[in-house]
Amino acid sequence: MTEADRDYEHYEAVVVGAGPGGAAAAARLADAGVETVVLERGVEAGSKNVSGGLIYAEESAPYTIDELFDGFRENAAERPITEYHLHNVSGNKVKSFDISRLHHHDTEWSDAVLRRPMDSWLAEQVHEKTKEVGGGLLTDIRVNGLLRENGEIIGVTCDEIDPITADIVIAADGVNSELARDAGLMDWDDPEEWFQGVKAVVDVPPEAINERFGVGADEGAAHLFSGDLFEGVRGGGFVYTNEDSLSVGTVFHLDSLAAERAEPHELLDALLTHPFLAEWFGDEYSEREYAAKLVPDSKKVAHGSPHEDRLVLVGDAAGQMQAQGPIIKGMNHAVTAGALAAEAFVEAKNAGDPDAAGENYERKLRESGTMRKLRPRRYKAASAVGENGVATAISDAVLKSPLGSLGVKALERVGALDRLYSSPFMAMMVPDTRTPYVTLPSVIAEELGDPVDGESAVEPPDLADRIGGLAYDTDIGNPHIELLDNSYEASGVAVTACPVSARDFGGGCYREETVKTNGSTEQVVSLDTQPCVECGTCAVIADTDWEHPSGGKGVEFRSG
């Protein structure tokens, strides 16, 4: 034991973050008798977390969450997802495909979840397990960095408590992981590597969900949307059925969102108010919560070697979020990674070489097939050919021509479109261009879709009301974001890309202002962290110094 180990409280394992990845790691460690402490930044596990969201149990995965936690599906999930549909939209015309075959591929089950109730239930189980081995779960603790000795990572530092040393540190602290950045394993340099998700949770009674979606009490449906709904931004929308609510949201490539200067809340409203969705909401629209988060694009950022010294990364902190066409999986990969990280440490410890845990973990990610799912070789080959301006311009031009229209109709006559949309092989090859997200769906809907009669009566809350409906505990005098360059050239895109900001709106995080200095006029950006939802968008697209608020401070999601 080193001098630092003697000076600070020591645990065999420290897990940072009590989401599904952290919970899986802590449970697996505790089951093996490893003294484990879990540190959670929120007032309760899940209060800082947002997901679409569906959680999967894959047949090929070495771990599933229901295997690690008895009673998970009965106590922590919303509805089993038994139907899966993809809708291509062009104006008021919609062409739908049943892609349940793709959804069921390699799937034991899939459930809709809300993160606050799910994560808080997991945390109860984790606390009981870790208490039995001399640890436990602590909330309201922000881990702000890595503790080092002689340049090597030996533990963590926190805002609220003294540093803690450990034989292994498992960073499950999400997409905005300060530990991953501190170790130099992840960065926020390129908007092309990230998605931004924005979501509304909408109240709908259980019996109304059953009737309007044509499902039973123990069934649910998932619906995806693409086409011309979203101002040409690459991405799409979703609707998932919960027990007594709907999760309705949008997910867009961050670079496209920024380039188009599109405003996330308006793109969400375009989905909410489309007449195709009107019958699902009924006569009274009641929005329970508005939320947002960044999502890593695993095809580009899933770390092949997510460890350094005693630190290992799991889940979003390691870029382990699979978003490939209609395949959107993240929480299940976090569960697998967390359990594999714990397994790697236990094996290394039992072999008398705990420092080998990181290498063991990397090997297990590879040998389990997890990395092949996160970074599919087919995508790498397809993107090398198709992800460039020339290829996109040519493919879009052909699709929009009479030849493209004829081709789409011909594919439909022989049933090829159904097969393509339901193919796991093709899903792994979808390029990140306008063509599959905007152009092709629009052409399909225009040529093959049925018109939707009527208009939507949905009136979503305005941005001010959405912000006002969120719960905050502001860390007065200690802002977690510093705007380093307030010029419009450096940071102006945050005004539109931030989910709680907008042009000509004075109540969000970022605002445009015109100031006069020494007789000249300059357009600048101002910042107010009060309404921040801590998504991290501005850390990628603006010139900021971004960190999490202190433990228990900032936004608190009730649904997530």
Side-chain angles (χ1 to χ4, degrees), residues 1 5-6 8-14 35 154 163-168 310:
M1 183 178 290
D5 288 331
R6 284 192 291 269
Y8 299 119
E9 189 168 5
H10 180 86
Y11 291 88
E12 286 186 278
V14 170
E35 182 189 42
I154 62 168
I164 298 174
T165 63
D167 299 326
I168 187 168
R310 301 183 191 182

Side-chain angles (χ1 to χ4, degrees), residues 20-21 51 53-55 113 115 118 329-336:
S51 175
L54 303 182
I55 189 166
V113 296
R115 290 297 298 272
M118 181 185 83
K329 298 179 178 180
M331 289 177 283
N332 61 302
H333 294 312
V335 168
T336 291

Side-chain angles (χ1 to χ4, degrees), residues 1-8 146-155 165 309-310:
M1 183 178 290
T2 68
E3 185 65 31
D5 288 331
R6 284 192 291 269
D7 288 343
Y8 299 119
L146 296 165
L147 181 67
R148 292 178 170 87
E149 183 179 67
N150 299 324
E152 292 194 359
I153 298 166
I154 62 168
T165 63
D309 300 331
R310 301 183 191 182

